[in-house]
Amino acid sequence: MKGRDVGRSAGETFGGIEAMGRLDGLAVGEGRGAVEAVRPTRVRYQVLASACLLAVVTYILRVGFATASTRLEGSLGLDDSQVGWLMAAFMIAYGVFEIPWGLIGDRLGVRSVLVVVALGGSLTTACMVLVRFMTTASLWPFVVLMVLRGLFGMFQAGTFPGISRMMADWMPTTERGLAQGFIWTSSRTGGMLAPLIVTALIGAFGNWSTPLAIAAGLGVVWCVWFWPWFRNRPEEMPRVNEAERALIIGGRGERTGAGHGPIPWKQMLGSANVWALCGMYGFLGYSGNFFLTLLPKYLMKYRGLGDDATKWLTSLPFACGIVACLLGGMLSDVIMRRTGNLKWGRRIMGALGLGIAGIALLATVWVEPTWALAVLLCLTFFGNDLSMGPAWAAAADIGEEHTGALSGAMNMLGSFMAALGAIVSGYLFTLGHLTAPFVLYAGSYGLGVLCWLRVDVTEPLIGPGPANVVNGDVS
């Protein structure tokens, strides 16, 4: 090899949007000294596309059940409290298994993990259909649904720690924010589509169970497509050339080796940085999961809206999230490249987003017109999702080879706080306190802003921090 010229430019496109930081090529000379520019392959974008598709399927299953729950409640003779516990069962199991799945993904790689969790989530969703044929004169439908919702949460817990680990292995440091933005944009696309699709299918089939069975098949299709071609790391896939491997590795924080070393539990538990990251996501989870669990019931029962208005007010915030997730991740990366400051590149968008969300959600209690409520709900979720890309990118920046475990811990606390939020808010709504839940939601977002101001991606768990970024180049 005669020489090597590594440069950056914006020229690669994923989904019609330019990805930042392309390696222009490796200069290769042989014999007569000819220099041939070797461009990096783009396999990492196929990997990113697979993660985005899984995120869509994941949220169709989650939000689809919340949408169907308004019909399920009546057909099975369940009350509001029981439906609230079904939502909490998912979130509790989801939280408990976050770290275990993250550890498995770090140790064994995410190829097998993602297939197992996708199939498990699909099968448990399909099994919920069988509850329809049980007698409503007993507690058995509720008990079986509780078990299935717990199993569903257990499997779903592995999805985003696995995807985060995948991005840590496959994406350059300066593209991780944008990549996570794409992933969470995709999740919001699933969340937006779920109410529209499930409501239409309920109308077409006249029941809540058939739409869930159809949704369950999506996960199976994804697994059949994903398993044959994906490999855990770029060096394991022959289609990835040396230029793309160099681009992916460039600027990454230190790793102990090609494998996955023991989890640095002492460093994790003793790190204020880790606690701030996890605390931030916990406060975000307490408030943000209102949109995934209680919003449809709140709109119908306590705001008195009909099916059509509820469908659109449940869907539109996710549409805003589509834009916000991508924008938050992209701007986080841009700030990092333009200023060279990795710390504030993640902090600014994260703290700004949660601040907007808290103010907008609190304001909903003082508006009556449906259009004004829709605007504030959309603005809330827009702010909430500005923080998503930077949050998961920060987990990869700090965790590196332990990203699965760290992102699992972060998501675990988010899940536990989400379950707490669902239980507390459901209880307050039942007592007729329609303002108090939103005061607590706003306060939780405010605490999340304070946590963001302590998160520092230049303090990784092991080794020195990631390289500085100057004028778009990693040095």
Side-chain angles (χ1 to χ4, degrees), residues 377-391:
L377 289 174
C378 287
L379 185 59
T380 299
F381 209 64
F382 182 87
N384 183 93
D385 279 9
L386 274 179
S387 195
M388 295 301 290

Side-chain angles (χ1 to χ4, degrees), residues 276 279-288 350-362 384 438-454:
M280 173 276 299
Y281 208 72
F283 292 124
L284 183 154
Y286 181 94
S287 304
L352 176 65
L354 295 191
I356 292 172
I359 295 170
L361 191 55
L362 182 60
N384 183 93
F438 294 94
V439 173
L440 293 176
Y441 288 146
S444 187
Y445 274 134
L447 292 173
V449 172
L450 296 179
C451 287
W452 259 122
L453 298 180
R454 175 57 185 86

Side-chain angles (χ1 to χ4, degrees), residues 16 24-25 111 317:
D24 276 341
R111 181 176 179 234

Side-chain angles (χ1 to χ4, degrees), residues 194-219:
L196 305 179
I197 294 172
V198 171
T199 301
L201 291 175
I202 288 174
F205 291 98
N207 61 70
W208 58 267
S209 56
T210 303
L212 292 185
I214 293 172
L218 297 176

